[in-house]
Amino acid sequence: MSSAVSIVNVDVYIALKKGSFHRMSQACFTSHLKISQKMTKASTFDRKGRATIVDVGRVAGVSDATVSRALNKPETVSAKTRARIEAAIAETGYVPNPLAKAMVSGRTYTIGALVPTLNHSIFSKFLHALESDLSDQGYNLVVAVTDADRDREVEKAKKLLAMGVEGLIVSGLSHNADLLREAARFAVPLIATSYYEPSAPLPTIGYDNKIVATQALAHLTALGHRRIAVAHGPVAGNDRTRSRIDALADPGEGASLTFYETTLDYAGGAAVVDRLEGPYSALLCLSDVLAVGALFQLRSLGKRVPEDISLMGFDDLDASQFTVPPLSTVRLPIQDMGRVTARAVCDFLDSGSPIAPRLLEAQVIARASTGAVPLAPGASDNPRGS
Amino acid sequence: MSSAVSIVNVDVYIALKKGSFHRMSQACFTSHLKISQKMTKASTFDRKGRATIVDVGRVAGVSDATVSRALNKPETVSAKTRARIEAAIAETGYVPNPLAKAMVSGRTYTIGALVPTLNHSIFSKFLHALESDLSDQGYNLVVAVTDADRDREVEKAKKLLAMGVEGLIVSGLSHNADLLREAARFAVPLIATSYYEPSAPLPTIGYDNKIVATQALAHLTALGHRRIAVAHGPVAGNDRTRSRIDALADPGEGASLTFYETTLDYAGGAAVVDRLEGPYSALLCLSDVLAVGALFQLRSLGKRVPEDISLMGFDDLDASQFTVPPLSTVRLPIQDMGRVTARAVCDFLDSGSPIAPRLLEAQVIARASTGAVPLAPGASDNPRGS
DNA sequence: CTGTTAGCGCATTCAA
DNA sequence: TTGAATGCGCTAACAG
């Protein structure tokens, strides 16, 4: 418990167990480790706990400005004083105060992201990619979940702005007007993702939901499908879904689509299968989650995919390639979106490059869940059976 | 484009398109909106862009200290001056500088979380819950992805600490020793999650992986299963998996377990099915992802679940209840973990309450993928078929 | 190469 | 109830 190797761990533990150690100073932690014998010299550097740049200067026998230089532009300070300063830093266990630095520089190197949920892998993956790239560029990512509530979104945006984020990333185009206003008040860039709409009042980085929906439909019509059921999640508050549906409004090619709204989860997909009416040769789900749910239900009803009905999804979840049969779908450029968004904000912040709207392309992934429509028209009947 | 209602949006857009507007001041945004006619009075409050508390004071004809009070302790300032100050605030478009505030208070109200990945829903859900609760208590969440790399974890931890997080949350118990050291240097609490181990050098909040594994096994043995295959992800660097396996080392009840390591994805689960040797009556997957992958593969091989082989998972993913058959699994207390962790850090930070290790209970969810072992011993043969 | 002087924007003593 | 003064920790002038 008190062996040399674990002494730091022990300190941590003690610090956590004792409530009174709240803002416990680093000096407390290390003093008895290495500098107890020198405490006499470094007499007053435990003023309020943490050692400051001034304390380091005092110990090293130089001014605080010199210490600051040694830290930021080492080449502008002589080798020997630099050495003394380093020694003093080690001795005092000095650790720079990020707040003071941020205060004077006016920069926090922090970007805020507002996502509707973290339970949907689309958003998690986006954040994963976003964080990776932001991190590479020296930025931190603060995330806030909005639960798809516009008012909550504004609230959380305010909190993020109040903590000093230098950029704000949101999903989709539907937002409370205050969001724009607040971003403007704090003069931070605001970027909308999962959407491409160059005429929007803020820069968008994402895919064009209309194009994407059209791509999916084209895949099905190319296979000969004309009577197609379309399953989608709630339209309210989800502009992405709305766009996809709009794009499908006039399918052309003599195709006829019927829309089924449902909840955006596996159960919702399964439920649509039960509600299906009419002889559809294909079911297009505007989300893989729905498609997987539908697939399970179809199979448990004894329907064969794609022989009895073709099934197509949207997103390309990890699971989609492992279903039986593997799911045809449209792969959304989520990773790219994270990367491109990160680059855009950083470029703007670092060098002032304007943030331009950016269209990312989705890709139809044709797998085994979609097949040619049977030769005899109307050969596939109501999947509900009879 | 220049209608009154969209003027703010337009401003934002312009600001974003023009790189030179980088640190554009709030004053620029609002001045031409409402206070242009009063600019004469508020002569010098656009020093470096943003209006400060001093500017507000000047406009209101009071001192900065009074403005500060009006903002923080409104009751200590007379109604009339308060009104004047509020007017001045609106006029100048003053917005408090979070950095200065943080600087003097020494607080950032920011918690950092280090997760191995955001692609696994377990971690996303944890963060979702964590963020919700932190947010309720007035804290912000910074997330960093480590890709399960201990060195990267330390690196990112340093960045988080350097930006001023007041608490650090990590996953599991395996960490680079520097992590503990750094947390101690900055005197911030460090909490390990997804794990319960009261003897650890840092507080743990989570489930006991050994107990959980035992619960799962118990479910199977209670159904009569004795020869059981266990599929699990890579052990290297994953102490949770390690613990679960350890707990299964001595199964008792005359059970005999065989372990199959594979990749932690759907394909990995499917692959295990192909590698299975010997007459197992049950396949226990230490992760639902593996179980779902295995399920698809079993079905495409024509094996019936649970008639031919029982299948059990671990995690309780959203998808698990919708597979065919629905997957028996162990539901991990992920949401609770987020909540409890958030509360623990906040309580510590707000009132100094010590952070105590906390055991959360998992729950066996018995669904249709597990059934009693067939009466005739050895009735189920090699799932690979012959 | 280094020390001195000034703030950054705010909150918090102390007097008045 | 309010104002003046002081300091948080650090960086950025400007001298020396």
Side-chain angles (χ1 to χ4, degrees), chain A residues 16-17 19 22 24 26 95 98 118 124 128 131 135 141-143 156 159 162 184-187 203 266 322 349 352 354, chain B residues 16-17 19 22 24 26 95 98 118 124 128 131 135 141-143 156 159 162 185-187 203 266 322 349 352 354:
Chain A
L16 295 174
K17 296 292 284 189
H22 186 180
M24 186 192 216
Q26 164 281 333
V95 30
L118 278 174
S124 316
H128 191 125
E131 196 278 336
S135 175
L141 177 68
V142 194
V143 341
K156 296 224 174 180
K159 289 184 55 180
R185 264 164 50 90
F186 283 83
Y266 295 95
F322 299 113
L349 259 19
Chain B
L16 295 175
K17 298 290 287 187
H22 185 179
M24 186 189 215
Q26 164 280 334
V95 29
L118 278 175
S124 315
H128 190 125
E131 196 278 337
S135 175
L141 176 68
V142 194
V143 342
K156 298 226 174 177
K159 290 184 54 179
R185 262 165 52 89
F186 283 82
Y266 295 95
F322 299 112
L349 259 20

Side-chain angles (χ1 to χ4, degrees), chain B residues 55-259:
Chain B
D55 301 317
V56 175
R58 184 159 31 216
V59 172
V62 298
S63 78
D64 53 344
T66 304
V67 177
S68 178
R69 283 193 211 93
L71 253 29
N72 303 308
K73 300 176 190 167
E75 68 278 8
T76 68
V77 53
S78 77
K80 58 182 64 172
T81 61
R82 206 188 318 152
R84 288 224 312 287
I85 290 176
E86 276 165 13
I89 288 180
E91 202 173 299
T92 57
Y94 165 77
V95 29
N97 181 327
L99 275 41
K101 196 175 296 190
M103 159 100 174
V104 46
S105 71
R107 304 218 41 186
T108 60
Y109 293 96
T110 299
I111 305 297
L114 294 156
V115 293
T117 176
L118 278 175
N119 293 329
H120 193 313
S121 76
I122 287 295
F123 297 109
S124 315
K125 288 193 172 177
F126 169 64
L127 287 186
H128 190 125
L130 185 68
E131 196 278 337
S132 294
D133 257 60
L134 284 179
S135 175
D136 288 346
Q137 317 232 20
Y139 286 84
N140 292 112
L141 176 68
V142 194
V143 342
V145 179
T146 67
D147 290 315
D149 178 317
R150 293 189 200 183
D151 294 332
R152 202 192 315 274
E153 184 177 55
V154 187
E155 271 178 46
K156 298 226 174 177
K158 285 183 181 171
K159 290 184 54 179
L160 296 188
L161 290 167
M163 75 161 281
V165 295
E166 299 189 61
L168 225 35
I169 294 162
V170 297
S171 292
L173 278 181
S174 311
H175 304 286
N176 187 315
D178 284 345
L179 181 64
L180 288 288
R181 213 165 275 129
E182 288 299 319
R185 262 165 52 89
F186 283 82
V188 314
L190 178 63
I191 304 183
T193 60
S194 298
Y195 224 98
Y196 174 72
E197 179 55 71
S199 68
L202 76 177
T204 53
I205 295 180
Y207 36 85
D208 182 320
N209 285 280
K210 294 198 168 100
I211 293 180
V212 175
T214 306
Q215 284 178 276
L217 181 61
H219 171 69
L220 291 176
T221 54
L223 288 169
H225 296 282
R226 292 297 176 271
R227 292 189 61 89
I228 302 172
V230 180
H232 61 83
V235 172
N238 190 325
D239 43 17
R240 295 182 294 283
T241 298
R242 179 77 266 166
S243 286
R244 294 178 191 175
I245 293 176
D246 287 349
L248 264 22
D250 179 25
E253 310 242 8
S256 118
L257 309 193
T258 311
F259 294 86

Side-chain angles (χ1 to χ4, degrees), chain A residues 115-350:
Chain A
V115 294
T117 175
L118 278 174
N119 292 331
H120 193 312
S121 76
I122 287 294
F123 298 109
S124 316
K125 288 192 172 178
F126 169 66
L127 287 187
H128 191 125
L130 185 68
E131 196 278 336
S132 294
D133 256 60
L134 283 179
S135 175
D136 288 346
Q137 317 232 22
Y139 286 83
N140 293 113
L141 177 68
V142 194
V143 341
V145 179
T146 67
D147 290 315
D149 178 318
R150 292 189 200 181
D151 294 332
R152 203 193 313 275
E153 185 178 53
V154 187
E155 269 178 46
K156 296 224 174 180
K158 284 184 181 169
K159 289 184 55 180
L160 295 189
L161 290 167
M163 76 162 278
V165 295
E166 297 188 61
L168 226 35
I169 295 163
V170 298
S171 292
L173 278 181
S174 312
H175 304 286
N176 187 314
D178 284 344
L179 182 63
L180 289 287
R181 214 165 275 128
E182 288 299 319
R185 264 164 50 90
F186 283 83
V188 314
L190 179 63
I191 304 183
T193 60
S194 297
Y195 223 97
Y196 176 71
E197 179 55 72
S199 69
L202 75 176
T204 53
I205 294 180
Y207 36 87
D208 182 320
N209 285 280
K210 294 197 169 100
I211 293 181
V212 175
T214 308
Q215 283 178 278
L217 181 60
H219 171 70
L220 291 175
T221 54
L223 288 169
H225 296 281
R226 291 297 175 271
R227 294 189 61 88
I228 303 172
V230 179
H232 61 83
V235 172
N238 190 327
D239 43 18
R240 294 181 294 283
T241 299
R242 180 77 265 167
S243 285
R244 294 178 191 175
I245 293 175
D246 287 349
L248 265 20
D250 180 25
E253 310 240 7
S256 117
L257 309 193
T258 310
F259 294 86
Y260 292 87
E261 177 165 330
T262 184
T263 55
L264 193 53
D265 52 26
Y266 295 95
V272 163
V273 169
D274 291 330
R275 289 163 50 201
L276 248 30
E277 292 178 357
Y280 301 114
S281 65
L283 171 58
L284 172 59
C285 296
L286 299 189
S287 171
D288 272 7
V289 171
L290 296 181
V292 172
L295 179 54
F296 279 123
Q297 187 65 5
L298 285 169
R299 290 188 59 131
S300 65
L301 289 177
K303 292 293 167 186
R304 294 167 305 160
V305 175
E307 291 81 357
D308 295 329
I309 187 168
S310 278
L311 181 64
M312 183 159 191
F314 231 98
D315 286 347
D316 195 27
L317 298 183
D318 290 337
S320 302
Q321 60 179 306
F322 299 113
T323 56
V324 180
L327 193 63
S328 292
T329 187
V330 183
R331 178 178 299 161
L332 266 19
I334 299 304
Q335 313 252 35
D336 282 350
M337 203 167 77
R339 269 190 263 285
V340 172
T341 305
R343 301 266 165 79
V345 213
C346 294
D347 285 354
F348 175 71
L349 259 19
D350 293 339

